[in-house]
Amino acid sequence: MKKYASEGEDMYLNRDVITLAQAKERLAAVAPKKITQEKQVEETLGYILAQDIIAPFPQPAFRRSGYDGYGILAEDDRDYPITLTLAAEVPAGSELKKKLQPKETIRIMTGAKVPDEVAKVIMLENTHMLADGKVVIKAGSRNDNITPIGEEFEKGAVLLTKGTLINAGAISLMSAFGFATCLVYKRPKVAILATGTELLQPKDAPVAGKIYNSNGPLLEALVKENGGKVVYCGQIADDIKSLEEKLDDLAKKADLILTTGGVSVGDFDFLAVAAKESGQLLFNKLAMRPGSPTTAFVYEKTLVMALSGNPGACFTGFYLLFESLLQNMQGNSTEIKITKMKLAHDYQKPNSFDRYLRGTWEETATGKVVSLVGSDQSSALGNLHLTTCFFKIPHDTVVTAGTEVEVWCLPYK
Amino acid sequence: MKKYASEGEDMYLNRDVITLAQAKERLAAVAPKKITQEKQVEETLGYILAQDIIAPFPQPAFRRSGYDGYGILAEDDRDYPITLTLAAEVPAGSELKKKLQPKETIRIMTGAKVPDEVAKVIMLENTHMLADGKVVIKAGSRNDNITPIGEEFEKGAVLLTKGTLINAGAISLMSAFGFATCLVYKRPKVAILATGTELLQPKDAPVAGKIYNSNGPLLEALVKENGGKVVYCGQIADDIKSLEEKLDDLAKKADLILTTGGVSVGDFDFLAVAAKESGQLLFNKLAMRPGSPTTAFVYEKTLVMALSGNPGACFTGFYLLFESLLQNMQGNSTEIKITKMKLAHDYQKPNSFDRYLRGTWEETATGKVVSLVGSDQSSALGNLHLTTCFFKIPHDTVVTAGTEVEVWCLPYK
């Protein structure tokens, strides 16, 4: 039998504690670079533009009729009412093939191309068609009802800049200028691995001592919510050989590997072992709770972020360490907004590490107030769906109601 | 040749003007009912739960060790330091098969099932293993380090209620209780049809008098952003026969049909004609700008929402009339939040209809302030991607800077 205790102690004591900020720096230093790809414009919703979009032609590209009505020459624009001969009709999408002559008019529709020689479009309401096909223009018009070429955008105008998050309006703008594709940043490919002999899959019958894998599905959903592409989501038992084989495989498939479980000081915490053996350990002890044994390392050139197996710690670690990596690879920055709010209640459990507690905030008459949501235990999983922010209790501190605390607001859905 | 003017006038004058609120009531009255479906839990991100989720067992389901350490009996919990015989190891996911005896201890891991007879788990740091395999417990522990059965949830507890928007945390919670599937509301199937002989497709070369279809891609992205499933997105020329054939086809495929263009008073505005001929016209004139000719009707039992072809009016009409329909069919309510803010500037163009102008708002030292973003023309398409809200200028009113106006805040991305 192995000498458990001494090994455990040894591994624990050898860990260098670093701060969250230091951990983020080390991750950023080895994070994969963002990659661009050409994509069909209609499939770019939610992507970040990796190029400026420049107008290839003015908008409108032609003199455009603002109304349905009749087009007249400048020389006929007097002595109302006037009677003109209908020369042609110009529906939207068509073009007058001949030149309009004096005393002639064209029936023109909203959005249609106004011939160069036409000075005004008289709205339908101010006209009347006679039985013989002639048209009476009852009164003139102050406005010409014609939108000039380039009124909205000149040729060469910057329509959208590199770095823009593509929303529906941006898609319509690119489409209006005939762009079929554009350059965007690729979604990072993420592999998710839950480790633990205790893990059951959804359809398994309950087994004494075992639990259902909830962190795998949690991380899969968090990666998707934050723009990553999940290329693998699975689970393995606590076994160093299986783990290394799995990491070998995932390092080939994914840009980033995200694991949960196996990072603590226990004898079956093989992620901790793999991290040490990788020779490229970034950190394995953070001065924060929950998730102090959160570990990161590079395995076969692929960054592995190894989160705690405790649901609360796993959730917190994802947002505090992984979310910005994912966003940066997509050309985005973190969607977490750090601000300050008053705490609604006391929190009097000092810890030698900073705590990031799951909370929720609300707008009150005297400003925004944050409070704990559900349990503060890192093993709790009943409050993750209610968490809209984390709030920080600095190390070695007790806090009373009304104290201002740092709040990390999540892009909560 | 047809008598355009008189037809146009006739159609225009026959329209009954109703308010936006009345239009929403008429739409709600004929909107399809929401439909439920059983879905794999890991595929439910962003759906709305159509059932309560009840805990089928307590959580934790067994007495759970909070740490890696040694389990001891109550009768041995005294006279420290004590030396005990190692009887077995209990990793997470396993169960002790025999009964622990006095003077014996078990090595137990975080998350493992604690045998009934074990009173406390002593943390690893307070223990030491001897060369002969015996274990020295150096000091006792105030806490038992055991999480009792049902501490977080009792069997039968309501985990999530019907109507909950499923986020990552909700997925993890259902997974933790072994749910493989759950009941959610289906995403509405939406068909999108852009009409207009003037419309080019993205890869077409420019043609004088024609424009690229931008409203089709706009609506496709807006429907996706708001949870709908786009089952068709295409375009047709202005032709009543083609239109009716297309509507026949789409009415079979989709829960809702969304069109753009062809609703005005022109001779080629065949959506207006189809709406009248359907015999089930809901409205074809709203007391609002932009988009006053916005039309809705029921065609072969399917609701058709016919928006203006002007990009600004199309965008505005989607949010003011269609977004809540889409959300309601998914078991959700509108994501538009109506509030009041001060207007940053004058707006002095009175209109006999209420105006809903595209704007953006910001938080200032003296509260939230809204202002126009880009052009107020309904034909403009350069500001849709920047619009974060609409603000309302009541009919027959001019507004000066600092006036409080009604603001419709969009779920802007």
Side-chain angles (χ1 to χ4, degrees):
Chain A
M1 197 173 274
K2 291 198 295 173
K3 289 184 185 169
Y4 300 106
S6 58
E7 282 177 12
E9 276 178 358
D10 186 35
M11 195 178 291
Y12 189 85
L13 294 174
N14 273 350
R15 295 192 180 197
D16 290 325
V17 183
I18 64 169
T19 65
L20 178 58
Q22 287 171 320
K24 293 191 78 144
E25 269 173 36
R26 293 188 191 180
L27 288 170
V30 300
K33 299 280 168 284
K34 46 187 188 253
I35 304 166
T36 59
Q37 70 175 138
E38 194 85 18
K39 252 188 121 62
Q40 296 292 315
V41 165
E42 68 269 24
E43 288 165 11
T44 58
L45 185 64
Y47 281 78
I48 305 287
L49 257 180
Q51 65 167 119
D52 289 344
I53 299 289
I54 309 295
F57 50 76
Q59 178 69 23
F62 48 83
R63 296 172 76 224
R64 188 176 65 196
S65 177
Y67 292 97
D68 276 41
Y70 288 91
I72 60 169
L73 299 180
E75 60 191 273
D76 291 327
D77 184 20
R78 66 188 70 169
D79 307 327
Y80 291 96
I82 53 174
T83 302
L84 303 175
T85 303
L86 185 62
E89 62 178 22
V90 186
S94 76
E95 194 180 22
L96 184 65
K97 300 296 181 194
K98 55 191 176 185
K99 207 173 155 78
L100 197 66
Q101 300 300 318
K103 301 287 171 201
E104 285 184 349
T105 185
I106 47 166
R107 175 79 172 89
I108 192 163
M109 279 44 150
T110 308
K113 181 173 189 256
V114 180
D116 293 345
E117 65 274 20
V118 166
K120 280 186 180 171
V121 173
I122 308 295
M123 288 169 73
L124 214 56
E125 292 86 331
N126 295 327
T127 67
H128 180 68
M129 181 168 270
L130 299 174
D132 63 1
K134 295 219 174 210
V135 178
V136 180
I137 312 283
K138 294 184 274 189
S141 161
R142 198 160 48 94
N143 300 324
D144 65 8
N145 298 324
I146 299 166
T147 308
I149 291 172
E151 190 195 60
E152 193 167 10
F153 292 106
E154 303 208 346
K155 180 178 173 177
V158 178
L159 301 172
L160 298 167
T161 53
K162 185 174 166 173
T164 298
L165 173 62
I166 300 173
N167 59 16
I171 286 179
S172 81
L173 191 53
M174 289 189 275
S175 301
F177 283 89
F179 287 93
T181 64
C182 65
L183 207 63
V184 298
Y185 294 108
K186 263 185 124 158
R187 300 200 175 285
K189 289 181 286 181
V190 182
I192 295 162
L193 184 61
T195 70
T197 306
E198 73 275 25
L199 298 180
L200 296 172
Q201 291 192 307
K203 277 176 179 163
D204 295 341
V207 176
K210 293 194 183 257
I211 60 170
Y212 288 96
N213 174 13
S214 67
N215 285 345
L218 172 71
L219 292 174
E220 182 175 13
L222 286 173
V223 167
K224 284 184 194 166
E225 275 189 343
N226 290 280
K229 186 175 172 179
V230 177
V231 293
Y232 174 85
C233 183
Q235 65 188 57
I236 55 167
D238 293 314
D239 174 69
I240 185 72
K241 191 154 174 293
S242 313
L243 174 64
E244 289 183 340
E245 281 172 10
K246 185 51 87 177
L247 290 178
D248 282 335
D249 175 42
L250 298 181
K252 292 186 193 90
K253 284 183 181 150
D255 299 319
L256 298 163
I257 299 172
L258 193 52
T259 71
T260 168
V263 291
S264 200
V265 299
D267 310 307
F268 296 90
D269 287 331
F270 291 120
L271 247 319
V273 176
K276 283 221 159 183
E277 290 182 354
S278 71
Q280 295 181 79
L281 179 69
L282 298 174
F283 54 82
N284 61 3
K285 186 82 182 168
L286 298 182
M288 62 175 263
R289 299 226 180 267
S292 69
T294 300
T295 294
F297 58 105
V298 177
Y299 189 94
E300 296 289 337
K301 297 183 185 162
T302 302
L303 177 56
V304 182
M305 177 87 245
L307 300 173
S308 164
N310 266 328
C314 178
F315 180 81
T316 308
F318 176 89
Y319 276 113
L320 265 46
L321 291 154
F322 198 71
E323 185 262 358
S324 60
L325 278 184
L326 264 189
Q327 295 293 353
N328 292 344
M329 283 186 68
Q330 296 167 70
N332 214 349
S333 50
T334 177
E335 293 196 352
I336 297 173
K337 291 185 179 62
I338 302 179
T339 181
K340 294 206 164 181
M341 297 183 197
K342 286 189 174 151
L343 187 60
H345 50 73
D346 295 353
Y347 192 81
Q348 308 219 340
K349 300 187 198 171
N351 196 284
S352 59
F353 290 160
D354 294 342
R355 280 186 196 267
Y356 292 86
L357 293 165
R358 280 152 283 158
T360 190
W361 58 271
E362 57 174 345
E363 192 105 42
T364 71
T366 58
K368 288 173 182 166
V369 171
V370 64
S371 53
L372 200 61
V373 61
S375 165
D376 64 349
Q377 298 293 305
S378 67
S379 57
L381 48 78
N383 59 352
L384 307 185
H385 67 295
L386 302 172
T387 300
T388 62
C389 62
F390 301 111
F391 60 94
K392 180 177 168 180
I393 306 290
H395 61 89
D396 304 306
T397 302
V398 293
V399 170
T400 52
T403 305
E404 199 164 65
V405 293
E406 192 177 291
V407 180
W408 295 43
C409 296
L410 304 184
Y412 179 70
K413 282 186 199 93
Chain B
M1 196 172 273
K2 289 197 294 172
K3 288 182 184 169
Y4 300 108
S6 58
E7 282 179 9
E9 277 177 359
D10 185 37
M11 196 178 287
Y12 188 84
L13 295 173
N14 274 348
R15 296 191 179 196
D16 291 325
V17 184
I18 64 168
T19 65
L20 178 59
Q22 287 171 321
K24 294 191 77 146
E25 268 174 35
R26 292 188 191 179
L27 287 169
V30 301
K33 298 279 169 285
K34 45 187 191 254
I35 304 165
T36 60
Q37 70 176 139
E38 194 85 19
K39 253 188 120 62
Q40 295 293 315
V41 165
E42 67 269 25
E43 289 166 11
T44 59
L45 185 63
Y47 281 78
I48 305 286
L49 257 180
Q51 64 167 118
D52 288 345
I53 300 289
I54 308 293
F57 49 77
Q59 178 70 22
F62 48 83
R63 296 173 76 224
R64 187 177 67 196
S65 177
Y67 292 98
D68 276 41
Y70 288 91
I72 60 169
L73 299 181
E75 61 191 273
D76 292 326
D77 183 19
R78 67 186 72 167
D79 307 327
Y80 291 97
I82 53 174
T83 301
L84 303 175
T85 302
L86 185 62
E89 61 178 25
V90 186
S94 77
E95 194 180 22
L96 184 65
K97 300 297 181 194
K98 54 190 176 183
K99 207 173 154 80
L100 196 65
Q101 301 300 319
K103 301 287 169 202
E104 284 184 349
T105 184
I106 48 167
R107 175 78 172 88
I108 192 163
M109 279 42 146
T110 308
K113 180 173 190 255
V114 180
D116 293 345
E117 65 274 19
V118 167
K120 279 186 181 172
V121 172
I122 308 295
M123 289 170 73
L124 214 56
E125 291 85 329
N126 295 327
T127 67
H128 181 68
M129 180 167 269
L130 299 174
D132 62 1
K134 293 219 175 214
V135 178
V136 180
I137 311 283
K138 293 184 273 190
S141 163
R142 196 159 50 94
N143 300 323
D144 65 7
N145 298 325
I146 298 166
T147 308
I149 290 171
E151 189 195 60
E152 193 168 8
F153 291 106
E154 302 209 346
K155 180 178 174 176
V158 178
L159 302 172
L160 298 167
T161 54
K162 185 174 166 172
T164 298
L165 173 61
I166 300 173
N167 59 16
I171 286 179
S172 82
L173 191 54
M174 288 189 276
S175 300
F177 283 90
F179 288 92
T181 64
C182 65
L183 206 63
V184 298
Y185 295 107
K186 262 184 125 158
R187 300 200 176 284
K189 289 182 286 180
V190 182
I192 295 162
L193 184 62
T195 70
T197 305
E198 73 275 24
L199 299 180
L200 296 171
Q201 290 191 310
K203 277 176 179 163
D204 295 340
V207 176
K210 293 194 183 258
I211 59 170
Y212 288 97
N213 174 13
S214 66
N215 285 344
L218 172 72
L219 291 174
E220 182 175 12
L222 286 173
V223 167
K224 284 184 195 165
E225 275 189 343
N226 290 279
K229 185 174 173 182
V230 176
V231 293
Y232 174 85
C233 183
Q235 64 189 58
I236 56 166
D238 293 314
D239 174 70
I240 184 72
K241 190 154 174 294
S242 311
L243 174 63
E244 290 183 340
E245 280 172 12
K246 184 53 86 177
L247 290 178
D248 282 336
D249 175 41
L250 298 181
K252 292 187 192 88
K253 284 182 179 149
D255 299 319
L256 298 164
I257 299 172
L258 193 52
T259 71
T260 166
V263 291
S264 199
V265 299
D267 311 307
F268 296 90
D269 287 331
F270 292 120
L271 246 318
V273 176
K276 283 220 158 183
E277 290 182 354
S278 72
Q280 294 181 80
L281 179 69
L282 298 173
F283 53 82
N284 60 3
K285 187 83 182 168
L286 298 182
M288 61 176 263
R289 300 226 180 267
S292 68
T294 300
T295 295
F297 58 105
V298 178
Y299 189 94
E300 296 289 337
K301 297 183 186 163
T302 302
L303 177 56
V304 181
M305 177 87 245
L307 300 173
S308 165
N310 266 325
C314 178
F315 180 81
T316 308
F318 176 88
Y319 276 114
L320 265 47
L321 290 154
F322 198 71
E323 185 262 359
S324 60
L325 278 184
L326 264 188
Q327 296 292 355
N328 292 343
M329 282 186 67
Q330 296 167 68
N332 214 348
S333 50
T334 177
E335 292 194 353
I336 297 172
K337 290 184 179 61
I338 302 178
T339 180
K340 294 207 164 182
M341 297 184 196
K342 285 188 174 151
L343 187 60
H345 50 73
D346 294 353
Y347 192 82
Q348 308 218 340
K349 299 187 198 172
N351 196 284
S352 59
F353 290 161
D354 294 342
R355 279 186 197 268
Y356 291 86
L357 293 165
R358 281 151 283 159
T360 188
W361 58 270
E362 57 174 346
E363 191 108 40
T364 71
T366 57
K368 288 173 182 166
V369 171
V370 65
S371 53
L372 201 60
V373 61
S375 165
D376 64 349
Q377 298 294 303
S378 67
S379 58
L381 47 78
N383 59 352
L384 307 185
H385 67 295
L386 302 172
T387 299
T388 62
C389 62
F390 302 110
F391 61 95
K392 180 176 167 181
I393 307 290
H395 61 89
D396 304 305
T397 301
V398 293
V399 169
T400 52
T403 306
E404 199 164 67
V405 292
E406 191 177 291
V407 180
W408 295 44
C409 296
L410 304 183
Y412 179 69
K413 281 186 202 97

